[in-house]
């Protein structure tokens, strides 16, 4: 497949997603050679079983979608996800702590997930950029960097808006080449996909992954 396909986390995070739908998602991810499937924590074991022997990774979400879970719960959820077969975790930042400028809490919350994930598991930090001012995005990126996370990510796809090229560009400018930047939320056309990559994203989270690389969906 194309290099483009390896930028995509093929995503299904609907609360009503069934085991059969996750199995179909994994089959599509193998067929189109996507980077990962991104699924809810309760479906990690299913995805790990379906993707065994392939190079498609299992990604799940932590503290999703609000980010308002206590740190200990995020840590426990991460440990469980890794035990179940997750190779990447996308955690939601504590947005309330960001809004009140409690950067020590924000950093420690992320660091706890990084520690729980272990060295082999990639950690992406969802900032929910639609709720943040530019200066908050910058500081949140710095917290993720200081906490040892691997990526910063724009959005859950469950809030008021999704990714924007402006947010992606600001995140990339802030972290430089030290971290990955993942754009997610509302990326449904090949044009939007290309714009996000041009802005600095090196991973794309999307439920429309097949369409993004020019396949039928």
């Amino acid at each position: 497949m194309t290099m483009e396909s390896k930028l995509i986390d093929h995503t299904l995070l609907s609360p009503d997603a069934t085991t059969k739908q996750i199995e179909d998602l994994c089959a599509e991810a193998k067929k189109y050679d996507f980077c990962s499937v991104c699924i809810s924590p309760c479906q990690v074991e299913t995805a790990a079983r379906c993707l065994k022997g392939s190079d498609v990774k299992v990604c799940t979400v932590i503290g999703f979608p609000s980010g308002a879970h206590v740190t200990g719960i995020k840590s426990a959820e991460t440990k469980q996800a890794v035990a179940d077969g997750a190779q990447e975790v996308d955690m939601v930042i504590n947005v309330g702590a960001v809004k009140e400028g409690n950067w020590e809490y924000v950093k420690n919350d992320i660091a706890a997930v990084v520690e729980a994930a272990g060295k082999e598991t990639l950690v992406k930090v969802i900032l929910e950029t639609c709720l943040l001012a530019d200066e908050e995005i910058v500081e949140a990126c710095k917290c993720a960097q200081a906490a040892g996370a691997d990526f910063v990510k724009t959005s859950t796809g469950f809030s008021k808006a999704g990714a924007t090229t402006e947010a992606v560009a600001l995140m990339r400018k802030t972290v430089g080449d030290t971290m990955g930047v993942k754009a997610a939320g509302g990326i449904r056309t090949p044009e939007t996909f290309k714009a996000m990559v041009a802005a600095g994203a090196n991973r794309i989270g999307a439920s429309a992954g097949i369409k993004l690389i020019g396949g039928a969906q």
Side-chain angles (χ1 to χ4, degrees), residues 101-199:
N102 191 349
W103 302 114
E104 192 67 19
Y105 185 98
V106 172
K107 186 181 79 174
N108 291 341
D109 191 54
I110 300 166
V113 170
V114 171
E115 185 181 354
K119 288 185 167 50
E120 303 300 312
T121 308
L122 209 69
V123 176
K124 310 187 203 93
V125 180
I126 306 173
L127 307 185
E128 205 67 284
T129 52
C130 67
L131 302 179
L132 307 183
D134 283 359
E135 53 270 27
E136 291 168 336
I137 292 172
V138 169
E139 285 304 317
C141 284
K142 289 177 181 174
C143 286
Q145 215 167 11
D150 302 286
F151 270 74
V152 283
K153 174 179 169 183
T154 59
S155 322
T156 60
F158 284 73
S159 190
K160 296 191 294 186
T164 66
T165 52
E166 292 81 8
V168 169
L170 180 60
M171 291 158 69
R172 175 54 72 198
K173 183 183 174 189
T174 305
V175 303
D177 58 5
T178 65
M179 297 178 79
V181 174
K182 177 175 172 180
I187 303 169
R188 298 190 183 95
T189 67
E191 293 72 28
T192 310
F193 173 78
K194 290 184 173 78
M196 294 295 171
V197 174

Side-chain angles (χ1 to χ4, degrees), residues 85-102:
Q87 296 150 295
E88 303 192 352
V89 295
D90 292 16
M91 71 158 291
V92 188
I93 208 165
N94 187 304
V95 182
V98 171
K99 298 307 287 185
E100 62 194 17
N102 191 349

